[in-house]
Amino acid sequence: MDQFKNKQLPEFSGNTTINDKNHLEIGGVDSVYLAEKYSTPLYVYDTALIKERLNEFKEAFSSYEKETQVAYASKAFSSLALYQMLAKESVSLDVVSGGELFLAVKAGFPSEKIHFHGNNKSHQELVEALNADIGCIVVDNFTELDMINQLTTLHQKRINVLIRITPGIEAHTHEYITTGQEDSKFGFDLASGQAKEAVKEAQSLKYIDVIGLHAHIGSQIFETTGYEAVIERLMQHSKEWQDLFNFDLKVLNVGGGFGIRYTNEDAPLPIKDYAISIMRSVKQYSKELGLELPEIWVEPGRSIVGEAGTTLYTVGTQKTIPEVRKYVSVDGGMADNIRPALYDAKYTGVLANKVYAQYYTKVSIAGKACESGDMLIWDLSLPEVEQGDYLAVLSTGAYGYSMASNYNRLPRPAVVFVEDGKDFLAIRRERYEDFLNLEQSVDSKY
Ligand code: PLP
């Protein structure tokens, strides 16, 4: 194996440092202490960084003349404790299921600040949303519009809705593409005229207040041009619909997708750059089209929690294939972080118990699931790795725990929050006994 000096360490986020024991420290807490106290795999969240990111968003839009809402997209990571924390941060919340809504309500999150998304909301979920008096439903399709109409009429209850538009603009990292006909399971598409029909129909319904439009154009976006293009398109259509049937664009929700740093290859824009460009475009098109300035809503997920999360693993077995590579296996993998297997997502990591070393070697980090595709990181340079070392994989706060599974009956890891040198167990580790809570022994009559 090549050994080399002077590895460039990953750029650490937030309050992550290396202490005098050469251990990774997160939020003032030694990660080796955390691994030993709570066992591994372990998700560790730097909650000060979560609050900092929320404040950056709020601050970035604070100069806007009209109201703005920053709605945390809780699909990125949800927990009772996180929802309780968010409730104190005066932000809104985007939920996409009855389950997320249930947890948010249980946490005491103010329901009028909850927005409900999803392309297949069930009748039951819509009833739950109406009963909880949530702030708005983002309507995705005609079936849902019908169900909301029936339910609101039956219960004589008003509800605010945004109409989700598939704008024919898709943004990925540094570029965006425009397509005439948008082939997506989400929302009403513009090109076929369904979006116009949906807005017109929704406006005619007695208990439904159409407050605006929504579009989400992608993830890990490092450019502002995609947002600018979608704003232009939605505002032009709003103008047309205003002239045709008095549509009033009170709210323009441009979704989430703001990019973060997973590895040193990623260079995310400061949040204020997105905000400046979004506000500038909205103002420009309002003026050009003679529309009232709408409220601006955004739905960041990964950019709030992604870099705040670190996953700690214990190193187990190793296997060297001469002249090929060295596999280092850890005690988690695709069950706690499906993104590398699902999207070929890239991460980086360090040995939490010996960050700096004189020499580094290249290894590939394998998960423990019974799948060849369960590889967390290819070709990571680490100090000499030994069984029992702790590997910290960085920027795992988004779509890790929330996409975790029990594949191979691996219990879901615990989640710990750290801040100011204190640690707090937010979600306990699953136990084998938890599996039994759902199981029934076979009945002798069956
Ligand atoms: N809003 C919607 C409608 C989404 O589908 C998503 C992610 O899939 C988000 C917001 C959050 O995106 P991100 O976590 O990339 O900010």
Side-chain angles (χ1 to χ4, degrees):
M1 278 308 128
D2 343 326
Q3 288 218 315
F4 53 94
K5 278 183 159 181
N6 302 329
K7 168 188 143 107
Q8 194 200 355
L9 284 174
E11 284 177 41
F12 297 103
S13 304
N15 309 306
T16 304
T17 51
I18 298 151
N19 66 19
D20 52 13
K21 293 185 189 147
N22 197 18
H23 293 176
L24 184 72
E25 198 167 280
I26 310 166
V29 186
D30 189 321
S31 59
V32 174
Y33 160 82
L34 291 171
E36 280 161 8
K37 178 170 175 184
Y38 297 104
S39 186
T40 59
L42 182 69
Y43 299 98
V44 182
Y45 280 88
D46 171 354
T47 48
L49 185 58
I50 295 179
K51 291 180 238 174
E52 203 177 300
R53 287 287 141 86
L54 286 170
N55 283 326
E56 269 179 69
F57 268 99
K58 286 188 282 178
E59 184 62 34
F61 284 99
S62 63
S63 66
Y64 190 59
E65 288 84 340
K66 280 279 185 77
E67 209 187 303
T68 55
Q69 279 197 37
V70 178
Y72 167 64
S74 48
K75 72 200 84 176
F77 169 60
S78 61
S79 85
L80 195 80
L82 179 75
Y83 285 143
Q84 288 165 340
M85 236 179 63
L86 295 175
K88 293 193 197 135
E89 297 297 318
S90 61
V91 287
S92 303
L93 200 65
D94 148 17
V95 300
V96 291
S97 71
E100 286 180 357
L101 175 62
F102 169 82
L103 203 62
V105 170
K106 281 280 171 207
F109 194 90
S111 54
E112 70 280 6
K113 289 189 182 167
I114 298 178
H115 314 157
F116 195 4
H117 263 289
N119 64 303
N120 188 19
K121 302 175 190 81
S122 68
H123 184 271
Q124 179 59 28
E125 285 176 319
L126 290 171
V127 169
E128 287 160 11
L130 290 175
N131 285 344
D133 287 320
I134 66 164
C136 110
I137 296 178
V138 185
V139 181
D140 207 275
N141 52 65
F142 287 110
T143 321
E144 181 187 334
L145 191 55
D146 261 4
M147 284 197 287
I148 300 174
N149 181 35
Q150 283 170 28
L151 283 168
T152 49
T153 307
L154 182 70
H155 299 288
Q156 302 194 357
K157 207 164 192 174
R158 302 202 73 77
I159 184 77
N160 287 334
V161 305
L162 292 180
I163 304 294
R164 180 164 181 171
I165 308 288
T166 23
I169 290 166
E170 220 183 287
H172 289 288
T173 57
H174 295 291
E175 50 185 30
Y176 76 89
I177 51 162
T178 52
T179 55
Q181 181 83 27
E182 187 61 32
D183 184 6
S184 161
K185 73 169 183 172
F186 294 112
F188 298 95
D189 95 291
L190 284 170
S192 70
Q194 293 196 354
K196 178 173 149 189
E197 274 318 298
V199 174
K200 195 170 166 197
E201 183 181 327
Q203 279 209 154
S204 71
L205 301 174
K206 184 162 176 201
Y207 292 97
I208 290 183
D209 294 316
V210 184
I211 57 171
L213 304 179
H214 170 282
H216 172 79
I217 53 171
S219 300
Q220 264 305 72
I221 301 171
F222 292 127
E223 266 295 331
T224 57
T225 44
Y227 295 101
E228 290 159 12
V230 83
I231 290 166
E232 177 182 9
R233 197 165 279 188
L234 292 190
M235 293 190 77
Q236 279 170 344
H237 282 84
S238 298
K239 169 66 180 157
E240 184 194 318
W241 301 338
Q242 185 180 67
D243 294 344
L244 285 174
F245 44 83
N246 283 330
F247 170 62
D248 184 11
L249 182 76
K250 293 195 191 77
V251 172
L252 181 58
N253 187 330
V254 296
F258 310 99
I260 66 165
R261 192 181 59 234
Y262 285 102
T263 71
N264 284 357
E265 314 277 283
D266 300 322
L269 291 177
I271 287 159
K272 71 169 178 9
D273 289 12
Y274 295 107
I276 288 170
S277 126
I278 290 169
M279 291 186 294
R280 194 195 303 122
S281 297
V282 172
K283 285 187 217 172
Q284 179 193 331
Y285 294 110
S286 291
K287 198 165 165 205
E288 278 178 27
L289 298 162
L291 292 171
E292 282 264 314
L293 262 192
E295 292 183 15
I296 298 175
W297 295 7
V298 288
E299 289 170 345
R302 84 187 63 229
S303 50
I304 303 295
V305 292
E307 291 180 21
T310 304
T311 311
L312 300 177
Y313 300 97
T314 303
V315 169
T317 58
Q318 300 191 32
K319 162 183 166 170
T320 302
I321 308 174
E323 310 304 321
V324 180
R325 71 176 70 252
K326 183 175 189 173
Y327 285 93
V328 168
S329 294
V330 294
D331 55 353
M334 66 188 291
D336 58 79
N337 186 357
I338 189 70
R339 295 187 70 256
L342 192 62
Y343 313 126
D344 199 21
K346 302 284 181 277
Y347 287 89
T348 190
V350 295
L351 282 187
N353 56 315
K354 46 184 182 204
V355 183
Y356 286 120
Q358 205 178 359
Y359 293 99
Y360 294 83
T361 55
K362 219 161 241 180
V363 299
S364 291
I365 308 297
K368 73 177 267 125
C370 209
E371 285 285 329
S372 304
D374 183 19
M375 292 296 300
L376 282 177
I377 305 174
W378 293 99
D379 296 330
L380 173 67
S381 46
L382 289 180
E384 201 56 53
V385 191
E386 293 161 289
Q387 189 175 27
D389 280 339
Y390 296 119
L391 177 78
V393 178
L394 311 180
S395 293
T396 56
Y399 308 101
Y401 189 86
S402 62
M403 284 188 162
S405 74
N406 285 127
Y407 183 51
N408 290 174
R409 287 288 183 195
L410 297 174
R412 282 184 181 78
V415 178
V416 168
F417 288 178
V418 290
E419 189 171 330
D420 277 344
K422 292 194 285 276
D423 53 287
F424 162 74
L425 179 65
I427 308 179
R428 78 153 165 80
R429 180 177 305 285
E430 254 174 351
R431 307 184 183 112
Y432 295 153
E433 290 72 34
D434 292 322
F435 300 155
L436 290 175
N437 288 339
L438 305 173
E439 303 280 340
Q440 302 289 330
S441 290
V442 70
D443 195 305
S444 58
K445 291 188 230 96
Y446 175 74

